[in-house]
Amino acid sequence: MQDVFSAHRQEGSTVLDSKKTALIVVDMINEFCKPGGKMVLPGYEKLMPQQKALIAAARANDVPVIFVIDSHRKNMRQDREFLKRTPHGVENTWATQIIEDLEPREDDLYVIKHRYSAFFQTDMDLLLKDMQIFQLVVCGVVTNICVRSTVHDAFFQGYDVVVPHDACAATGPREHVSTLYDIATHFGTVAETDTVIEGLSSGKTILNQVFEEDMAPGMAAQ
């Protein structure tokens, strides 16, 4: 069935200002990526070239790198995520450490979240406003849950959001494509990592790539 409603979207584009932009890397932690994690998403290593390139470009252009960590306290009577998902990400353990592949630094920024969104009852919005950040590049795992929730909340709070689709992975190809379609149509700009890096480094316009049902799934988990 043709998506008549979404056909009313604005065919927009984005121009990034490195002085007003931050890179947000969502949930690239041992629990979701490394053997021994309780909720490993297969194929995380396929994201490494793109994510490392984004981080390098951010650092080269004095763009803050913000690592988001999904973390859960022990002995909660009811953790809302655990009503739907396997208990995971116990705070202050190996599980909630950023994977070493991305070479996180002490001078990077870290935001702890207890729900899917990096904005929900965290200090993310305060942090960004204090840094005079108004544009976000968001990547990580998983596209259709925590990345999507973070992008939604960023849009709701007035941020201009860009998602490099090949630096994200979903729970499956269908979910990856569907989420990117919705983001590009309703919440932000979707593009390839190389295009985002070029935009970040030179200010070149980033055209919005609307994923259709028959398009390749990008870096969706296999």
Side-chain angles (χ1 to χ4, degrees):
M1 180 182 297
Q2 184 179 5
D3 186 355
V4 177
F5 187 89
S6 293
H8 293 281
R9 64 179 174 261
Q10 299 287 345
E11 301 295 345
S13 60
T14 299
V15 176
L16 292 175
D17 180 345
S18 62
K19 295 181 180 179
K20 299 179 180 179
T21 301
L23 172 64
I24 297 181
V25 184
V26 178
D27 287 351
M28 295 302 295
I29 58 176
N30 291 326
E31 190 79 291
F32 299 148
C33 299
K34 294 295 185 177
K38 293 181 179 178
M39 290 176 55
V40 174
L41 186 71
Y44 89 92
E45 64 277 359
K46 297 179 183 179
L47 304 179
M48 289 300 94
Q50 295 82 252
Q51 290 186 358
K52 292 175 77 170
L54 284 164
I55 291 170
R59 289 172 174 158
N61 290 279
D62 294 322
V63 170
V65 177
I66 304 174
F67 288 104
V68 176
I69 299 172
D70 187 54
S71 177
H72 300 269
R73 296 186 177 94
K74 298 178 180 178
N75 304 321
M76 292 294 97
R77 292 179 178 175
Q78 179 176 278
D79 186 307
R80 294 298 301 177
E81 283 196 18
F82 297 170
L83 296 177
K84 301 292 290 185
R85 309 292 291 170
T86 299
H88 60 276
V90 175
E91 65 180 352
N92 300 322
T93 66
W94 168 88
T96 55
Q97 294 174 5
I98 301 296
I99 58 174
E100 293 182 357
D101 312 57
L102 295 180
E103 300 178 354
R105 300 178 180 177
E106 288 187 5
D107 60 344
D108 292 326
L109 298 167
Y110 299 84
V111 171
I112 305 298
K113 67 181 178 68
H114 305 294
R115 298 292 187 265
Y116 300 140
S117 170
F119 283 88
F120 183 75
Q121 296 189 1
T122 72
D123 66 346
M124 176 68 85
D125 185 56
L126 179 64
L127 182 157
L128 294 172
K129 284 183 167 57
D130 281 352
M131 299 187 71
Q132 298 182 311
I133 297 295
F134 306 101
Q135 297 182 306
L136 306 176
V137 176
V138 181
C139 66
V141 297
V142 297
T143 317
N144 54 311
I145 305 175
C146 294
V147 171
R148 180 182 189 132
S149 298
T150 298
V151 169
H152 286 186
D153 281 356
F155 174 80
F156 297 153
Q157 296 189 70
Y159 294 95
D160 189 11
V161 186
V162 176
V163 176
H165 66 81
D166 51 345
C168 303
T171 54
R174 177 191 63 181
E175 290 78 8
H176 191 67
V177 173
S178 175
T179 299
L180 292 169
Y181 176 86
D182 285 344
I183 289 173
T185 301
H186 306 292
F187 302 103
T189 298
V190 174
E192 294 182 351
T193 291
D194 288 347
T195 301
V196 175
I197 290 174
E198 186 175 7
L200 195 62
S201 302
S202 68
K204 184 176 180 179
T205 299
I206 300 173
L207 299 178
N208 194 20
Q209 181 178 357
V210 179
F211 270 59
E212 303 290 354
E213 187 174 346
D214 58 348
M215 292 182 71
M219 293 303 300
Q222 301 298 314

